[in-house]
């Protein structure tokens, strides 16, 4: 056995795995949970995750949501179900808790690929289909039964409140060095609060949404490059279609990585924006007129919201997102702000593309 330790083995021993564990290695590029790939002597592979208790205050509630969603989709879609079922412990639980924290196991999705960026327009179209279909598949899920795993997760207005509170306290003494970034965010506060208000007032329909639709939270079939599984279901909650649409645009229609330090490389790719919009409209056929109209604002809001979250975490001393170097959260925040600025430059074209796509539907 390599790269493992007694505790992880003790944890894995609680789950119903096929065969003796032969290796455990860190895996993937998630920035919230700790993810490992586990192999057994019989050749089965699994994903083991230690869940982040700082981000998630009620992990049993998350697992209850995931169990409910998996059960619902299995019944509705059978073999075609777009999520993975948890592996249960020998006691029949979908997670295990010890003094180190909460752990869960999922079968490793064999024959799939996970993209950190689209490799072609077709890939990005397929991501839109995958995440869009997830919303349509869950349209008749009993939303009221879902636990709110992170309260106010995409309440941008509330994200600004926390940002301003952190700024006032300035716990890491970094505020003076980021005045330009602070002004950038404050200048957009009113506009960025609009979607949260439309959600509260019923102008936009509340749907069951994923809420964390980075490309690397979707696994594509390696052969057909079509959507196979939506993963990272920790934040499935009632939300807006615009958040799921927006987060995908933010990550996948950016010409550079979300933490690119050279902001000259960052802009919104309008061709990708168009194909994603086409795929999302096809997969989510019942978007309302208001949802269509506000798709560009969805992309901008979620990007600015994340800029706000990254800068808040930087000001706070880097306690939420995993960072790989000093200043990583500031680099991320600046990258998101550059993408917002690019959206502002291309605002008319974004709106024109959305109208054209809508006209064809
Ligand atoms: P985080 O919340 O930290 O992003 P994820 O659940 O997204 O955690 O997992 C991190 C990465 O691990 C994913 O982006 C993906 O590459 C990989 N991964 C997670 N679950 C599976 C799975 N069941 N099969 C294959 N790869 C997976
Ligand atoms: C986190 O969990 P992961 O790595 O897919 C975060 C998202 C951010 C993203 C930025 C629960 O996503 O909201 O958009 O990082 N998830 C949570 O990379 O906070
Ligand atoms: Mg993830």
């Amino acid at each position: 056995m390599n790269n493992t330790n007694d505790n992880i083995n003790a944890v894995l021993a609680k789950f119903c795995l096929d065969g003796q564990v032969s290796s455990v290695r860190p895996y993937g590029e998630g920035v919230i949970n700790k993810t490992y790939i586990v192999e057994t002597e019989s050749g089965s592979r699994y994903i083991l995750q230690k869940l982040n208790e700082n981000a998630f205050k009620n992990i049993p509630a998350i697992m209850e949501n995931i169990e409910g969603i998996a059960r619902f989709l299995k019944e509705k879609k059978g073999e075609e179900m777009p999520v993975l079922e948890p592996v249960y412990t020998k006691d029949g639980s979908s997670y295990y808790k010890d003094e180190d924290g909460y752990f869960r196991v999922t079968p490793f999705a064999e024959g799939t690929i996970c993209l950190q960026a689209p490799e072609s327009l077709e890939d990005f179209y397929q991501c839109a289909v995958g995440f869009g279909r997830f919303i349509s598949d869950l349209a008749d899920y009993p939303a009221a039964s879902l636990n709110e795993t992170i309260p106010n997760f995409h309440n941008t207005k509330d994200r600004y409140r926390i940002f301003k509170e952190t700024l006032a306290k300035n716990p890491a003494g970094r505020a003076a060095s980021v005045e330009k970034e602070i002004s950038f965010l404050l200048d957009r506060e009113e506009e960025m609060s609009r979607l949260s208000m439309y959600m509260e007032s019923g102008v936009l329909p509340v749907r069951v949404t994923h809420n964390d639709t980075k490309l690397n939270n979707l696994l594509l079939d390696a052969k057909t490059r079509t959507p196979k599984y939506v993963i990272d279901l920790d934040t499935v909650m009632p939300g807006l279609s615009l958040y799921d649409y927006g987060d995908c645009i933010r990550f996948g229609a950016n010409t550079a990585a979300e933490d690119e330090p050279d902001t000259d490389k960052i802009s919104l790719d309008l061709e990708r924006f168009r194909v994603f919009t086409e795929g999302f409209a096809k997969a989510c056929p019942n978007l309302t007129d208001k949802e269509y109209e506000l798709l560009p604002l969805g992309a901008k809001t979620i990007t600015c919201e994340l800029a706000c979250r990254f800068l808040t975490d930087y000001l706070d001393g880097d306690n939420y997102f995993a960072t790989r170097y000093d200043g990583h959260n500031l680099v991320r925040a600046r990258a998101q702000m550059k993408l917002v600025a690019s959206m502002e430059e291309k605002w008319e074209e974004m709106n024109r593309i959305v109208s054209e796509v809508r006209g064809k539907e």
Side-chain angles (χ1 to χ4, degrees), residues 30-31 212 214 216-217 231-232:
V31 299
D212 189 1
K214 284 202 296 201
N216 62 14
N217 287 330
I231 58 169
D232 204 346

Side-chain angles (χ1 to χ4, degrees), residues 49-62:
Q49 291 183 307
K50 179 167 190 281
L51 294 159
N52 182 326
E53 285 184 78
N54 183 34
F56 303 113
K57 307 296 181 205
N58 186 349
I59 289 169
I62 293 183

Side-chain angles (χ1 to χ4, degrees), residues 14-142:
K14 303 288 175 189
F15 288 87
C16 299
L17 305 185
D18 177 18
Q20 287 294 312
V21 173
S22 52
S23 75
V24 182
R25 282 171 288 125
Y27 190 79
E29 305 206 12
V31 299
I32 297 294
N33 296 315
K34 263 200 189 146
T35 301
Y36 304 87
I37 182 168
V38 176
E39 293 191 38
T40 69
E41 278 164 2
S42 59
S44 298
R45 300 203 290 175
Y46 299 90
I47 287 287
L48 165 72
Q49 291 183 307
K50 179 167 190 281
L51 294 159
N52 182 326
E53 285 184 78
N54 183 34
F56 303 113
K57 307 296 181 205
N58 186 349
I59 289 169
I62 293 183
M63 296 313 296
E64 193 177 282
N65 283 355
I66 295 178
E67 283 179 48
I69 289 160
R71 222 179 295 122
F72 177 88
L73 291 174
K74 193 173 184 183
E75 198 153 298
K76 183 164 177 173
K77 314 271 296 184
E79 288 288 289
E80 301 281 285
M81 69 183 283
V83 301
L84 291 150
E85 284 177 272
V87 171
Y88 285 81
T89 64
K90 292 166 184 166
D91 297 337
S93 169
S94 58
Y95 63 91
Y96 173 69
K97 181 185 186 316
D98 70 7
E99 60 285 357
D100 273 354
Y102 287 86
F103 297 85
R104 72 168 166 224
V105 175
T106 318
F108 185 85
E110 301 292 351
T112 63
I113 51 170
C114 176
L115 299 176
Q116 302 305 326
E119 288 168 12
S120 65
L121 287 175
E122 179 60 21
D123 279 350
F124 201 37
Y125 180 88
Q126 293 300 337
C127 291
V129 170
F131 283 123
R133 210 185 273 154
F134 184 78
I135 295 180
S136 325
D137 285 343
L138 292 174
D140 52 344
Y141 189 81

